[in-house]
């Protein structure tokens, strides 16, 4: 097993490059299943465990998958299986996108229920509602979702909750349906737009992604294409927060500053200087920052995926900060780990009340989930003494080369293997 060992206290300086967006890549790779001719060549793919997992799943279905540096080339004309039932499928959340993609192309699929971070109940009722409205029969039995349809027919669907996964999944299913599908109360996250752009590059007819209403005009077939994934908003936000927490000046390259506005606004409110420069952002911070209040919300609100990294910074901000986690009901598991380092935090349901302390001190802590892991790394970077972050397989699912990136900025961090 591996752990990260961090000696805190170094300011960060220099520049780092952000990789392609995990939550776009994990949808775009399964979406390549929709190509009944040609090959999908997808660039700016992050080198993370969740991507490796999807590559293995696609191979298990019969796709030919070749990989290069940040590149995945998929030939899905050779698919010979619509049953996704391997351990990899059960391990990750995004395997639910196999349902929408296989249903659209083959009119049936059997996919084991997805896993992912333990941050809440994570129902998929809105995905099922969408597939059903398009004409599919959906059955969930023994932890497996089976869908089938004679044909899929476009319709109007109003989602009960704003869901990234349901928006993308039903959009996938609607691409090859007969007629027009209108999706309302949809998620507007940058990765939803990226998946729509990818599908349009394959020949789909999707308009409105990024707004309140998405309109999909069904087409007869989709083909392979070349595409480059957008930069990762959450990875960028994590490094912005780390730079703010450690002090110093860091240039974060390969970002879309517009996607980072809700994060920039909160850091500026804390006293951080943020300079936008085309496709990079400079974060400058010195001295103690001020506590703030945040409420996580669907895009363009403050992203839940950045809540945990930000909470690490708030532990040492001046005064009281209040976090209202409105998306996931169990996204405060990292708080007990932060407390082991001296943080003063009370959790009441979906609210965390943080009273800033002068310093955190190093401790042995766990990454309880992916973004919790990033939070613990940031806490280690600002703490006095040595912090060991265990269970970093969670971090490896979503952050490429995290220790190398922080090392390049001057942090004292290393990966160490150990036996439990
Ligand atoms: N929800 C339902 N029914 C559904 C679907 C969702 O009630 O059918 C609820 C959820 O319980 C939650 C809210 O709607 O309260 C939003 O869930 P959403 O469907 O948007 O989440 P997701 O698609 O499962 C993706 C990301 C998450 C990110 C959320 C919110 C992927 C693979 N995962 O999850 O990313 O937190 O959107 O932005 O795209 C992460 O990267 O660390 C991560 C957890």
């Amino acid at each position: 097993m591996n752990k990260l060992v961090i000696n805190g206290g170094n300011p960060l300086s220099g520049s780092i490059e952000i990789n392609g967006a995990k939550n776009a890549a994990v949808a775009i790779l399964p979406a390549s299943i929709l190509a009944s001719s040609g090959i999908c060549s997808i660039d700016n793919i992050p080198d993370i465990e969740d991507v490796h997992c999807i590559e293995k799943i696609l191979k298990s279905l019969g796709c030919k998958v070749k990989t290069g540096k940040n590149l995945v080339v998929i030939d899905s004309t050779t698919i010979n299986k619509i049953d996704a039932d391997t351990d990899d499928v059960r391990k990750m959340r995004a395997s639910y996108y196999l349902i929408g993609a296989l249903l659209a192309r083959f009119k049936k699929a059997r996919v084991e229920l997805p896993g992912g971070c333990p941050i809440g109940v994570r129902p998929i009722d809105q995905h099922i509602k969408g597939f059903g409205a398009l004409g599919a029969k959906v059955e969930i039995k023994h932890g497996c979702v089976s869908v089938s349809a004679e044909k899929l027919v476009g319709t109007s669907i109003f989602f009960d909750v704003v869901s990234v996964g349901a928006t993308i999944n039903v959009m996938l299913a609607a691409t090859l349906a007969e007629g027009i599908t209108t999706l309302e109360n949809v998620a507007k996250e940058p990765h939803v737009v990226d998946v729509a752009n990818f599908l349009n590059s394959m020949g789909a007819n999707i308009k409105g992604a990024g707004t309140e209403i998405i309109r999909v005009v069904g087409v007869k077939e989709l083909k392979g294409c070349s595409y480059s994934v957008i930069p990762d908003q959450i990875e960028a936000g994590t490094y912005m927060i780390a730079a703010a927490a450690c002090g110093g000046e860091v240039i974060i390259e390969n970002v879309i500053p517009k996607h980072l506005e809700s994060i920039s606004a909160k850091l500026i409110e804390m006293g951080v200087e943020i300079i936008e420069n085309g496709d990079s952002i400079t974060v400058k911070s010195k001295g103690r920052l001020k506590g703030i209040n945040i409420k996580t919300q669907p895009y363009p609100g403050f992203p839940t995926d950045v809540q945990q990294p930000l909470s690490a910074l708030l532990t040492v901000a001046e005064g009281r900060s209040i976090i209202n986690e409105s998306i996931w009901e169990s996204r405060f598991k990292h708080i007990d780990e932060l407390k082991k380092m001296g943080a003063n935090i009370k959790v009441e349901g979906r609210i965390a009340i943080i009273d800033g302390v002068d310093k955190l001190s190093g401790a042995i802590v766990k990454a309880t989930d992916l973004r919790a892991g990033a939070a613990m790394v940031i806490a280690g970077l600002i703490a006095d003494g040595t912090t060991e972050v265990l269970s970093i397989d969670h971090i490896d699912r979503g952050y490429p080369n995290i220790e190398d990136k922080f090392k390049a900025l001057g942090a004292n961090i290393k990966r160490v293997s150990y036996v439990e």
Side-chain angles (χ1 to χ4, degrees), residues 22-23 26 93-94 96-97 117 119 122-127 161-166 189 191 304-305 327-329 331 370-371:
K22 160 183 147 333
N23 288 343
V26 297
R93 192 71 198 156
Y96 52 37
Y97 293 132
C117 282
I119 52 181
R122 310 196 78 171
I124 57 164
D125 56 299
Q126 296 304 302
H127 306 230
V161 293
V162 176
S163 157
V164 169
E189 267 66 4
H191 33 287
T304 169
D305 297 345
I327 309 288
W328 298 115
E329 61 275 24
R331 215 166 197 182
L370 166 59
R371 309 298 172 187

Side-chain angles (χ1 to χ4, degrees), residues 375-402:
M376 299 325 297
V377 170
I378 293 171
L381 292 173
I382 54 178
D384 273 345
T386 305
T387 295
E388 294 190 8
V389 184
L390 312 181
S391 302
I392 60 167
D393 45 320
H394 282 298
I395 300 178
D396 294 334
R397 286 190 28 234
Y399 289 93
N401 315 318
I402 193 164

Side-chain angles (χ1 to χ4, degrees), residues 340-341 360-364 383-388:
K340 288 181 192 161
M341 300 177 73
L360 295 181
S361 40
I364 299 178
D384 273 345
T386 305
T387 295
E388 294 190 8

Side-chain angles (χ1 to χ4, degrees), residues 267-404:
L267 290 177
I268 291 168
E269 197 181 322
M270 293 184 77
V272 180
E273 194 180 341
I274 307 272
I275 304 155
E276 292 180 7
N277 247 326
D279 62 357
S280 77
I281 255 187
T282 302
V283 180
K284 286 191 200 175
S285 119
K286 59 173 191 283
R288 196 164 184 203
L289 300 171
K290 290 192 290 279
I292 49 161
N293 298 337
I294 61 155
K295 180 174 184 183
T296 63
Q297 277 172 326
Y299 189 82
F302 192 89
T304 169
D305 297 345
V306 181
Q307 175 265 109
Q308 292 160 298
L310 183 73
S311 67
L313 166 59
L314 296 179
T315 60
V316 291
E318 199 181 338
R320 174 167 282 192
S321 299
I322 298 177
I323 298 177
N324 181 341
E325 171 53 65
S326 81
I327 309 288
W328 298 115
E329 61 275 24
S330 311
R331 215 166 197 182
F332 284 140
K333 295 207 175 93
H334 64 299
I335 296 293
D336 282 340
E337 304 299 305
L338 288 174
K339 282 188 186 167
K340 288 181 192 161
M341 300 177 73
N344 182 355
I345 310 176
K346 262 200 299 274
V347 174
E348 289 167 9
R350 286 171 178 251
I351 306 283
I353 302 161
I354 306 179
D355 285 309
V357 294
D358 289 339
K359 268 278 166 203
L360 295 181
S361 40
I364 299 178
V365 290
K366 261 197 328 254
T368 51
D369 57 71
L370 166 59
R371 309 298 172 187
M376 299 325 297
V377 170
I378 293 171
L381 292 173
I382 54 178
D384 273 345
T386 305
T387 295
E388 294 190 8
V389 184
L390 312 181
S391 302
I392 60 167
D393 45 320
H394 282 298
I395 300 178
D396 294 334
R397 286 190 28 234
Y399 289 93
N401 315 318
I402 193 164
E403 71 274 21
D404 294 338

